[in-house]
Amino acid sequence: MRDHLRFYRHRWFKAWIAMIVLSYSLIAMMQAAGNQAVMPAAFFYGAAAGPIALLLAIHDRIHIATSVPAMTLMGMFLFGGGVALLLGGYFDSLFISQKNSTSILRVGWIEEPAKLVPPLAVALTGRHLTKAAGVALGLSCATGFTIMESMAYAWKSIANNGGAVGAGTILLLRGLSTPFSHLVWTGLVCAVAFGAWQIKGRAVVTIPIVAAFMTAALLHSLSDGLLILDIPQPARLLFLVVAAASYWLFHRATRDLKPQAAPAPEP
């Protein structure tokens, strides 16, 4: 218990603080010197702070990054996240007419499948069919997705004359929320799916997998609805309940994972 209270000693917290400070330092320099060239870097550090902090916390608990070769995880982050954003962005534009309308409640049923496509593609090859590997792949894909999505929101703020400081505020708020949303939703489904596939030796559809997916999609839609729809302000506080429930479900789904030895390099 005492160790939990000293969270500031953990490297996830130090990394989060360092990235936030660097992001705002770049924004401050940009405002003072007028050097717009550093804007992408400022947005990247702000968008990545929360997700990277969560990844470090999870790895320190179960050594999740050692379950898959580093290059595979990097590819899932860069290209898996990009493919997920491509699919999610396209179908969002088709099925969500206005962000502040009830059509936003479709978002979970669009973006959650999009984030699962890259890990599923790996699973269909028959490689890395372990629960730990699946969680690592899912978190990597979701991290790439959420960082790029957060940066897109920051650029949109600039386009709407919100200014660099306004964009930085958006990144800070998303950095606090996305680790308890996009990452854990995808991680939850991958934990259930790859756990089943590890036993069966191949990718199949099971009732628990469908239930986990539906849970993640519902939580995603509910989370966005609480933040975007025109509802009483006190009701928006239920967002915190959704975030806590999302992380709790992910933690329960992964609590059986144990630290693993590093895998052999891929041929």
Side-chain angles (χ1 to χ4, degrees):
M1 181 63 178
R2 183 177 298 177
D3 185 56
H4 287 295
L5 294 175
R6 296 176 179 173
F7 61 89
Y8 56 86
R9 295 186 176 181
H10 291 275
R11 63 175 183 163
W12 67 262
F13 181 76
K14 295 175 182 177
W16 179 70
I17 289 295
M19 296 181 77
I20 289 294
V21 169
L22 185 54
S23 176
Y24 272 85
S25 296
L26 286 166
I27 290 175
M29 185 273 283
M30 182 175 63
Q31 293 289 91
N35 185 355
Q36 302 293 317
V38 302
M39 190 181 297
F43 288 177
F44 173 79
Y45 284 112
I52 294 299
L54 180 66
L55 291 181
L56 283 172
I58 294 172
H59 176 70
D60 287 345
R61 176 168 65 92
I62 53 179
H63 295 186
I64 199 69
T66 62
S67 60
V68 181
M71 290 304 296
T72 302
L73 289 180
M74 182 62 70
M76 185 59 67
F77 168 76
L78 291 174
F79 301 107
V83 168
L85 189 64
L86 174 68
L87 294 173
Y90 176 71
F91 287 104
D92 277 350
S93 65
L94 286 182
F95 296 109
I96 301 178
S97 56
Q98 294 181 336
K99 291 289 186 179
N100 58 352
S101 71
T102 54
S103 63
I104 193 63
L105 297 177
R106 300 171 184 166
V107 67
W109 304 95
I110 297 171
E111 293 184 359
E112 289 310 309
K115 289 184 292 175
L116 293 173
V117 168
L120 177 60
V122 173
L124 290 175
T125 67
R127 307 179 69 178
H128 310 305
L129 284 181
T130 67
K131 183 173 182 177
V135 174
L137 291 169
L139 290 176
S140 295
C141 181
T143 297
F145 175 93
T146 195
I147 289 175
M148 289 183 279
E149 185 183 57
S150 294
M151 291 181 69
Y153 277 109
W155 284 109
K156 184 177 181 180
S157 176
I158 293 290
N160 293 335
N161 298 318
V165 175
T169 302
I170 290 175
L171 291 172
L172 176 62
L173 294 175
R174 283 186 60 84
L176 291 171
S177 63
T178 50
F180 304 99
S181 54
H182 278 300
L183 272 70
V184 293
W185 294 328
T186 305
L188 167 65
V189 181
C190 286
V192 175
F194 279 80
W197 299 341
Q198 179 177 345
I199 296 173
K200 297 181 179 296
R202 59 191 177 94
V204 296
V205 177
T206 66
I207 292 177
I209 295 174
V210 173
F213 166 74
M214 293 182 66
T215 299
L218 286 170
L219 288 169
H220 188 159
S221 292
L222 181 59
S223 176
D224 281 31
L226 288 169
L227 291 176
I228 295 174
L229 293 178
D230 184 15
I231 59 176
Q233 289 297 327
R236 296 191 189 280
L237 294 177
L238 290 174
F239 167 80
L240 299 176
V241 177
V242 174
S246 299
Y247 182 78
W248 180 78
L249 288 170
F250 168 75
H251 190 275
R252 282 187 60 87
T254 59
R255 63 181 179 176
D256 61 322
L257 293 177
K258 305 297 181 184
Q260 299 188 4
E266 291 183 330

